[in-house]
Each structure stands twice: as structure tokens, then as C-alpha cells.
Amino acid sequence: GIGHVRHELEMLWSNEALTSSSVIRAATYNLIIFTSDELSAEQTSARIIELTRERPGRVIVIDVEPGSKDAVDAWIAVYCQNGGEHQVCGELITLGVHGSLREEIHSNVLALLSPDIPVYLWWTGELQIDDHLFMELMDVADRVIVDSNAFDDCTHGLNALAQINDVVPTSDLTWARFGSWRQVLAYLWDIPALQTPLAQIRILEIEHQSSGVQKDSEIALLLVGWLADRLSWTLRDGVSDMQGGYRTSWQKGDWSGKVMITESHLAEIPPSSITEIRIRAGAEDQSLEIHLTARPEIPGVEILVTGGSSEPIRMTRRLNPMQTSEALAEELDLGFDPLYQSALNNAVHIIATCTHSEATTH
């Protein structure tokens, strides 16, 4: 029971204190993690060990395991790092849950939370907002963290995220992961020769790597949503295709342009990654073609600008690949990002508009 877990924690800390008088018991956050997949649980534990060594807190992992017999197994560990003259330590509590106790484990989790510090809920895998355990944990969370890259169907997942965001702030590890792509795109507006043409984007095409099995266009949808927010575009209409592509029209004042999301199947690039962005911008007689191509071997983005009256522009911008533990750390460090909320709302609006259009044409 919970009393046993608390007793084991105190014993662990007592042993640490006997070993070294310079141990500091630190907790700046509570992080509840739900996982229901054995491989996911192993990966999550490894990532949390990385995280807690750098950012001590109280981490409670709910590992739902197979089996019909009602039982809860508990494992407790303390992870420390050297902080000058002291060792700073955080805690990892893993609850292996079997049978129907999945529906009741939230009361145990709540009893284990450290008081007076933020509570974050990282829900791995599929998001079911009517799940009893999810709703109970969301009620105590200051923020819900997900990874939309793990959704089997990003359209369902992003819609669910938007609904949650109306109740409690959400963070998406995918958003943190493609921050480098947003920086590369924003850099285009810093190039003097591109500033005037980019005010008239006629066609923007974002190509993303597809698994070929699931709808995994979340990164492209969020990227379009972010650009639309930053450039104050308004969605006019759109259609979707069976393969996960979207063709949309946008406007701002007298300007109108088309944005397309398409799929690619390149062996060397993982699913949900951006593979290429193509932009046609500027007045008709002086239009520029801007190609941004992913180069995973660098890793980076190759930029090629052609057309107009100037010589072609070639350059490469580096990307900074981010592991899941790094993305999680960034979300904990930086807090809720209102830009993500705007991008998410726009992405969901794209899905709704295109789905409605598809329904009315059949």
C-alpha cells in the first residue's frame, strides 16, 4: 500500500544520508507518467532517469501491465547528480498495475504527490479523453503533456488535445522536437532579398514522411498552423485526401494563397518528419522558388532560392535533433507555450474544414 511506499522512500533517503552528509532531497515538480506498453515503459524509465538526474523531482510512473489478477507492484529509486559540494537527488516511483485496479490507482497516485509544487501529467500513447483514469489525473494536473507523434490517428489526437486545452494547458513533445524547423523557416524572413516576395506567398507545400499506415501529418499541420498564426492568415476552404494530405486556401486582405500538405516515403527519414518545403512567392513576373530540403546526414536543411532577377541563393542551416527526454525537459523548463495553442487551434480548424468539405462532396 501507500504506507509501504512511503516507508521505503524514507528508508532510501536515510541510507543516502548515511552514505553522504551532502545529499540534498530536491523536488521542483511532480510528474505523473501513464504507460500501458511494455516497450514504452522501458523506454520511459530510461528517459526519466536522464531527466531526473538533471532536474530532480518526484516522478510517479503508472505502468499498466497485462493480467486479470488485481495487484499493484511498486518499485522505488533515488537518482542523484553532483551539484558542486552536494549531491542533488530526485525520486522515481513505479507502480505496476494489474487488472481492475487501473480504475482505482489514481487515489494512490494522488496520495504520493509532493504538496505545493506543480503537477504535470505525461500521457504516453493514444489519448482517450473519456478515460476514467485520465480524467481523474487531469483534474489535479497543472499541465498535460503528450507526444502527438505517438498518435495512431493524428486527426483524432489533435482534436482531443484541443478539447483538453480548453480545460488545462497542454504541451506536445512533437512541438518541442521541430523547433529547429520553425527557426529555419523564420530565418527566411531575415534574408533581405526574400522579405518582399514572402509577403506574397502564392503556393506553400509542406511534405512530410509517412509511415504509410497511420495518419501522421501532425508536424505538418502544426507547422502550417504556426505560420498562419505568425502571418495572420485566415483559412478560406480546404479538402483532404485519403492518404493524409490537405489542400487549403488562405487569405489576408487582398492576398490569397494555397497551402498543401503532402506525403513522402523516403527510406532514410523517420515518419512524421518534414522532408521538404517548397514556396512560390512574389509577383507573377518576379516570382521566386524557395526549396528547403531535409538533409539527415548533416543533420540540417538545404535552402535553394531561384527565380527573379538575382543569382540563386544556396545555404545550409543546421537542425538540432532532439531526443524525447530533451523535449520533455524543454517542456518542463519553458512552461506553457501560447504559440503552440494557436498552432493547435489552427491545425484543428484545418482538419474540421477539410473533413466537412470531404463530407459534403460525397
Side-chain angles (χ1 to χ4, degrees):
I2 295 305
H4 173 70
V5 173
R6 290 185 182 279
H7 175 71
E8 289 295 317
L9 268 176
E10 293 304 323
M11 290 293 292
L12 270 175
W13 282 114
S14 297
N15 291 337
E16 289 288 344
L18 287 172
T19 305
S20 171
S21 60
S22 60
V23 168
I24 297 176
R25 184 177 184 175
T28 55
Y29 60 86
N30 292 287
L31 175 60
I32 306 168
I33 305 172
F34 170 85
T35 180
S36 59
D37 175 88
E38 187 174 349
L39 176 61
S40 174
E42 291 176 5
Q43 293 174 339
T44 299
S45 294
R47 289 161 178 161
I48 292 308
I49 291 169
E50 293 176 43
L51 178 77
T52 51
R53 283 193 174 129
E54 297 294 326
R55 294 161 184 79
R58 175 167 288 188
V59 181
I60 304 170
V61 178
I62 305 169
D63 178 16
V64 176
E65 299 181 345
S68 57
K69 183 179 178 181
D70 292 348
V72 176
D73 304 313
W75 300 272
I76 303 154
V78 172
Y79 293 96
C80 302
Q81 69 153 347
N82 290 324
E85 298 178 357
H86 305 283
Q87 283 199 92
V88 182
C89 303
E91 305 158 333
L92 172 60
I93 303 167
T94 303
L95 302 175
V97 184
H98 305 261
S100 63
L101 293 182
R102 180 193 188 281
E103 302 305 308
E104 302 172 20
I105 195 64
H106 62 274
S107 58
N108 299 57
V109 173
L110 302 189
L112 288 170
L113 294 174
S114 291
D116 305 321
I117 54 176
V119 177
Y120 302 115
L121 169 62
W122 179 17
W123 191 270
T124 70
E126 288 301 303
L127 193 59
Q128 300 292 339
I129 58 176
D130 57 352
D131 182 283
H132 173 71
L133 178 58
F134 175 78
M135 289 191 294
E136 292 288 348
L137 297 176
M138 185 180 70
D139 278 347
V140 299
D142 294 285
R143 185 145 43 100
V144 172
I145 301 171
V146 301
D147 186 350
S148 60
N149 192 25
F151 296 159
D152 283 341
D153 182 344
C154 80
T155 57
H156 173 271
L158 292 180
N159 274 309
L161 264 179
Q163 292 180 53
I164 295 167
N165 211 29
D166 290 337
V167 180
V168 61
T170 60
S171 294
D172 185 350
L173 302 186
T174 295
W175 177 257
R177 252 191 234 106
F178 77 92
S180 288
W181 263 107
R182 298 198 303 276
Q183 291 169 7
V184 169
L185 269 176
Y187 172 72
L188 296 179
W189 273 260
D190 291 333
I191 301 173
L194 300 186
Q195 289 172 354
T196 299
L198 284 173
Q200 299 182 64
I201 294 177
R202 295 210 304 279
I203 298 176
L204 166 64
E205 185 173 0
I206 298 179
E207 186 179 273
H208 69 93
Q209 178 73 350
S210 172
S211 64
V213 177
Q214 60 195 44
K215 294 182 180 178
D216 43 19
S217 51
E218 63 283 338
I219 184 172
L221 284 163
L222 289 168
L223 199 53
V224 174
W226 168 74
L227 267 176
D229 175 68
R230 297 290 81 199
L231 299 173
S232 301
W233 292 352
T234 300
L235 181 62
R236 285 169 47 188
D237 54 57
V239 293
S240 61
D241 58 48
M242 295 296 290
Q243 286 72 43
Y246 297 87
R247 299 187 299 278
T248 53
S249 298
W250 300 77
Q251 66 183 28
K252 177 186 177 182
D254 296 333
W255 167 86
S256 63
K258 297 186 181 300
V259 177
M260 292 173 285
I261 293 174
T262 59
E263 291 187 335
S264 65
H265 302 274
L266 303 175
E268 68 275 17
I269 297 182
S272 297
S273 302
I274 298 295
T275 55
E276 191 169 357
I277 296 176
R278 297 178 284 272
I279 303 171
R280 183 180 299 169
E284 186 71 49
D285 57 343
Q286 288 287 312
S287 68
L288 297 180
E289 301 281 344
I290 307 169
H291 284 197
L292 296 87
T293 307
R295 298 292 182 210
E297 71 278 6
I298 297 177
V301 178
E302 185 178 87
I303 301 172
L304 173 62
V305 182
T306 57
S309 57
S310 304
E311 290 294 311
I313 299 173
R314 294 178 184 271
M315 65 184 76
T316 301
R317 302 285 289 183
R318 287 193 65 83
L319 291 178
N320 298 311
M322 186 178 285
Q323 300 301 317
T324 299
S325 55
E326 295 173 308
L328 180 60
E330 181 170 299
E331 291 299 344
L332 293 178
D333 289 347
L334 299 182
F336 175 69
D337 186 353
L339 289 181
Y340 169 69
Q341 181 173 2
S342 300
L344 174 62
N345 290 340
N346 281 335
V348 168
H349 188 32
I350 293 169
I351 293 168
T353 299
C354 293
T355 303
H356 176 73
S357 175
E358 183 182 8
T360 57
T361 54
H362 290 310

